[in-house]
Amino acid sequence: RMSFFVAIQVTRIIPEEGPALDDLKVSTVPAPVCGSSSIEVRVKAAGTNFYDVLMLQGKYQHKPPLPFIPGSEFSGIVSKVGKNVLNSGFNVGDHVLGSSLVGAYAEIIVTSPAQLSHMPKGMTFEEASMFRSASCTSWAGMVVRAKVQPGEFVLVHAAAGGVGLTAVQIAKSLGAIVIGTVGSDRKAAIVREAGADYVINYTTNKHFAPKIKEITKGRGADVIYDPVGGDVFDESTRCIAWNGRIIILGFTSGRIPSMKMNRVLLKGCSIMGLFYGRYGMEEPHIHQQAQAGTERLFLEGKLKPFIYKTYALEDLGKALLAIASRETIGKAVISLDQKPASKL
Ligand SMILES: NC(=O)c1ccc[n+]([C@@H]2O[C@H](COP(=O)([O-])OP(=O)(O)OC[C@H]3O[C@@H](n4cnc5c(N)ncnc54)[C@H](OP(=O)(O)O)[C@@H]3O)[C@@H](O)[C@H]2O)c1
């Protein structure tokens, strides 16, 4: 007998213009079978990410075949364990968090033990659902790629974003002096609360390079963490320090920038790509270290999850629209226990 569950299933690529994101509907779909090497999790919450929006618009590097259930991180309770993975350390009833390419915006998800970890003590389901992707990305960016040293100046762009707030906190934990940028003044307070020493509004200060030079006494930023690209990247190249590292994470501005190589030479700087998802495949030990490192920082109170708002599964489109329109501060979270806004 086939069983069913509720999920957001996407059957077409969403056009970029218009309110189509708001139109995502829940549907009842056949439940995936939990194979002998899989684990089934009853989802309690799912974290949202900017790249969900890109994936729904067909603009992300990973293009799943239609129809698919989006959502790449979740928390929940283990509900079935396949017979080949009974010794994987996960048992029915365990509270877990996990990542997956797709499938998290649903009541249940079938995954593998390698994608799961136990929820750290003191973490809520909502926090656990949005913790891993952003935190591990910034840990890899600051520790593995930039190798941030105490006393270095670290400039974090879109610092009030989901990824940005983790970057600020992780750079602070490494002893850096942190400068965060934000697109509107209402976002500044939270960036300070996360530990930033300076906050700059890059909408009203498009030419922020002189300000960075002033703060760093002419030196420039040693590390620039850039999820925005476009004009923000261009301006960054004017205030990167000698031996500086620019970490490229994404292009929320919508423009992939470029840089003349003579500038790279003259500045003696490095431009480094960061694609966290690939560590799982290429260097799984880095993923293990990032998980352990971020969990330790959470338990020490140095890495706090910032939740913007929780939404019902039915309101996923509203959550994604809030990200795309730069409204969110920290992460929007989908809670499977929450009633849709229209029914409140
Ligand atoms: N490379 C990796 O491994 C990796 C992993 C995770 C995420 N990412 C990337 O990191 C970035 C941030 O992800 P996130 O989920 O944490 O999102 P987010 O930072 O919460 O949201 C994006 C932010 O980008 C800023 N932004 C600037 N120009 C924008 C524009 N034209 N439209 C929309 N936003 C704009 C906004 O902040 P302001 O209003 O303050 O400008 C906005 O809040 C994304 O590019 C994502 O793809 C990369």
Side-chain angles (χ1 to χ4, degrees), residues 4-26:
F4 291 88
F5 74 118
V6 167
I8 298 275
Q9 193 177 44
V10 178
T11 51
R12 65 186 176 104
I13 289 305
I14 308 255
E16 205 174 319
E17 303 304 326
L21 274 178
D22 211 9
D23 221 31
L24 293 169
K25 295 261 183 330
V26 292

Side-chain angles (χ1 to χ4, degrees), residues 229-231 233-235 237-238 248 251 255-261 263-264 271:
D231 297 348
F233 173 87
D234 293 347
E235 189 68 7
T237 65
R238 299 187 184 103
I248 307 295
F251 314 100
R255 179 167 71 83
I256 299 176
S258 46
M259 185 175 181
K260 288 254 171 61
M261 286 305 129
R263 285 185 80 93
V264 179
I271 313 291

Side-chain angles (χ1 to χ4, degrees), residues 135-169:
S135 302
C136 286
T137 298
S138 293
W139 192 93
M142 295 297 166
V143 176
V144 180
R145 299 301 268 152
K147 297 190 168 57
V148 170
Q149 301 301 309
E152 283 195 317
F153 285 97
V154 174
L155 172 59
V156 176
H157 290 310
V163 167
L165 284 170
T166 64
V168 169
Q169 297 177 87

Side-chain angles (χ1 to χ4, degrees), residues 13-14 23 28 80 82 94 109 118 129 139 150 153 178 185 192 251-252 255 264 280 283 299:
I13 289 305
I14 308 255
D23 221 31
T28 306
K80 272 182 204 158
D94 285 359
I109 185 165
H118 285 99
S129 76
W139 192 93
F153 285 97
V178 176
D185 286 338
R192 283 207 183 80
F251 314 100
T252 60
R255 179 167 71 83
V264 179
E283 296 176 272
L299 293 171

